[in-house]
Amino acid sequence: MEAQYLKENLGCLTQCLKEVVEKHPHDPIEFIAFWLKKYIENEKYKAKQAEEARQLEKEKELEAIEQERRMRRIEEARRLAEEEAERFKAEQERKAREAASASKLPIVEEKDEPAGEPAPEDDTPGDLSGDIKEEEGVKDEEGKDEEVKDDEAEGESNEQDGEKAEAEEGEIGSPEETSGTTEDS
């Protein structure tokens, strides 16, 4: 155990003594003192170099990790920009399609119904009276004659109702006309 301690801690003395034998200094004790002092400085320098090398290696690893993170952020930013551009393009296309489909719709013009003709009846599912009239018309031909007469009577009554409504509107007048007449009186 003592031999190992001497090898680990005083192993440099054998090298120092070899140099003393080779160089034959005038003062061997002083030579050994300076040699040991220089040896300690060299050992500290080697330890410092090893520590710096380890630190440099750690920094390189951290830089590589940071570079990878930067590349991922750049890639993600590029991907997000592409997705945003695709969304914007899709939105523009959708708006263009909506605008195109809106412009393709036919223009509907309202036409006045002639006063002499009765308004067409809507055959809606809830309107059963039209279905009943049609069934009666199919049953017998005499019913058709009666149905035509009923339709003509309805048309005449609709015309009379329309004329009465127009006459009443003419007598009453619009709100502007009535308000103007009351103020003048």
Side-chain angles (χ1 to χ4, degrees):
M1 184 160 197
E2 291 175 11
Q4 185 153 349
Y5 171 78
L6 292 174
K7 284 182 184 178
E8 288 176 5
N9 296 312
L10 301 176
C12 63
L13 283 179
T14 55
Q15 190 178 9
C16 178
L17 293 175
K18 282 182 188 176
E19 287 187 29
V20 169
V21 171
E22 290 174 5
K23 296 186 179 179
H24 295 291
H26 178 45
D27 188 6
I29 304 277
E30 188 178 353
F31 180 82
I32 292 173
F34 284 116
W35 190 93
L36 288 173
K37 188 173 184 182
K38 182 69 175 169
Y39 177 80
I40 291 172
E41 288 176 4
N42 289 342
E43 288 298 312
K44 285 181 180 178
Y45 180 76
K46 286 178 184 178
K48 186 178 178 183
Q49 289 292 81
E51 182 62 30
E52 287 178 358
R54 283 192 299 267
Q55 187 67 24
L56 183 63
E57 195 65 33
K58 285 180 182 178
E59 288 176 5
K60 284 182 180 179
E61 289 174 5
L62 291 175
E63 182 63 29
I65 292 170
E66 186 63 31
Q67 182 68 20
E68 186 178 326
R69 286 180 188 161
R70 275 188 244 129
M71 293 303 289
R72 275 191 262 151
R73 277 189 251 136
I74 290 170
E75 180 65 27
E76 189 166 330
R78 184 190 58 78
R79 186 178 50 82
L80 288 174
E82 287 176 358
E83 288 176 1
E84 185 65 29
E86 288 176 14
R87 275 189 243 130
F88 181 74
K89 185 178 178 182
E91 182 68 21
Q92 292 298 329
E93 289 175 359
R94 185 185 61 79
K95 286 180 181 178
R97 275 186 268 133
E98 286 178 2
S101 66
S103 65
K104 290 180 182 178
L105 291 176
I107 298 173
V108 178
E109 295 180 15
E110 293 185 19
K111 296 182 179 179
D112 293 333
E113 292 182 15
E117 296 179 19
E121 293 184 20
D122 291 339
D123 286 334
T124 58
D127 187 18
L128 298 177
S129 63
D131 293 339
I132 295 170
K133 286 181 183 178
E134 288 177 14
E135 289 175 8
E136 289 176 358
V138 172
K139 287 182 183 176
D140 59 342
E141 293 179 17
E142 292 175 15
K144 283 187 178 180
D145 293 334
E146 291 175 10
E147 186 178 324
V148 171
K149 290 177 185 175
D150 289 341
D151 288 343
E152 289 174 1
E154 284 180 24
E156 289 174 6
S157 66
N158 285 342
E159 287 178 19
Q160 290 172 357
D161 290 341
E163 291 173 3
K164 286 180 185 177
E166 288 176 9
E168 289 175 0
E169 286 178 10
E171 290 174 7
I172 297 173
S174 65
E176 291 91 22
E177 293 173 359
T178 56
S179 64
T181 56
T182 54
E183 290 176 6
D184 294 337
S185 322

